[in-house]
Amino acid sequence: MSIEKIVEQALQDGYLTPAMEAEVGRICDNASELSIEEYMALDRLMGSLLTGEVVAVPRKQFINVMEELVLTEAIARVAEIEATSESSLDVGDIAAYALNRLPPLYATTEEGASYQRQRAQAELEELISQQVSEAISRYLDRPSFFPERQALGKNTGNEVVRQVSALLQTYAPNFEQKSDG
């Protein structure tokens, strides 16, 4: 798809989706130089984004609070086990196993996320704990005959750190505001 076609579509729909944005980025990265028409289309897109005629849809308009809760529980439990044994556990594997057996708790606002966290503490804390325990036992009992398993992404260890970092960035501004008052 050309830049002109993407801009035309965005103007028609009133939205620039993450996929459209990525495609424009890909075209710009791979082109040694852009044509006058492409520059004009990009200029038109920028203008329409500035006026609000076209709205950029955020990459993620919602979060699954369950991911945060399970990761927190898994990290704490794995740290305990690794501190008292020779075992080395993969937090990502454990969290994924538990998450596949727990209900998602989606939220689109900070208020919604707070509500979901409170709901989870009241109704699901024990279930989360059970599923993380089950995930850890499964992980420790797993056969070691798949050394060739390919993890998602290039730096898997960094993926959990990236997720936790993203969570912290999402909530840190609120914590800072509270400490100022």
Side-chain angles (χ1 to χ4, degrees):
M1 205 177 205
S2 70
I3 292 177
E4 296 93 330
K5 283 263 191 295
I6 292 169
V7 172
E8 195 179 301
Q9 184 73 49
L11 288 163
Q12 184 184 316
D13 299 344
Y15 290 102
L16 181 69
T17 66
M20 293 160 89
E21 193 181 329
E23 183 61 15
V24 168
R26 193 189 62 72
I27 293 168
C28 291
D29 288 345
N30 294 330
S32 54
E33 58 185 62
L34 298 175
S35 69
I36 299 287
E37 292 77 20
E38 287 173 319
Y39 275 118
M40 286 170 64
L42 285 171
D43 190 51
R44 180 125 191 256
L45 180 61
M46 283 313 229
S48 60
L49 284 165
L50 289 170
T51 61
E53 184 186 352
V54 170
V55 178
V57 180
R59 273 181 182 71
K60 201 170 184 182
Q61 291 178 290
F62 52 85
I63 60 165
N64 179 1
V65 175
M66 186 59 81
E67 289 179 13
E68 165 195 329
L69 301 171
V70 167
L71 259 176
T72 304
E73 177 77 8
I75 288 168
R77 300 282 283 283
V78 164
E80 282 173 26
I81 292 167
E82 289 182 346
T84 58
S85 73
E86 294 297 306
S87 300
S88 176
L89 291 86
D90 185 317
V91 173
D93 275 1
I94 289 162
Y97 181 96
L99 283 165
N100 281 330
R101 287 154 183 81
L102 288 162
L105 298 175
Y106 288 105
T108 57
T109 63
E110 188 50 49
E111 294 75 14
S114 290
Y115 168 79
Q116 292 288 37
R117 281 186 206 99
Q118 286 166 1
R119 184 180 146 217
Q121 280 181 323
E123 303 168 22
L124 301 166
E125 204 166 10
E126 200 172 312
L127 186 60
I128 293 169
S129 183
Q130 284 171 359
Q131 290 304 332
V132 170
S133 293
E134 172 68 15
I136 289 170
S137 341
R138 288 291 177 114
Y139 185 86
L140 291 170
D141 291 343
R142 82 195 186 295
S144 57
F145 52 78
F146 283 122
E148 72 283 357
R149 275 193 336 164
Q150 285 296 306
L152 289 173
K154 291 181 183 118
N155 304 331
T156 331
N158 296 339
E159 179 56 20
V160 173
V161 172
R162 191 194 60 70
Q163 285 179 355
V164 172
S165 172
L167 285 169
L168 290 173
Q169 286 172 359
T170 303
Y171 302 115
N174 298 332
F175 293 136
E176 288 167 14
Q177 286 168 4
K178 286 176 189 160
S179 64
D180 289 345

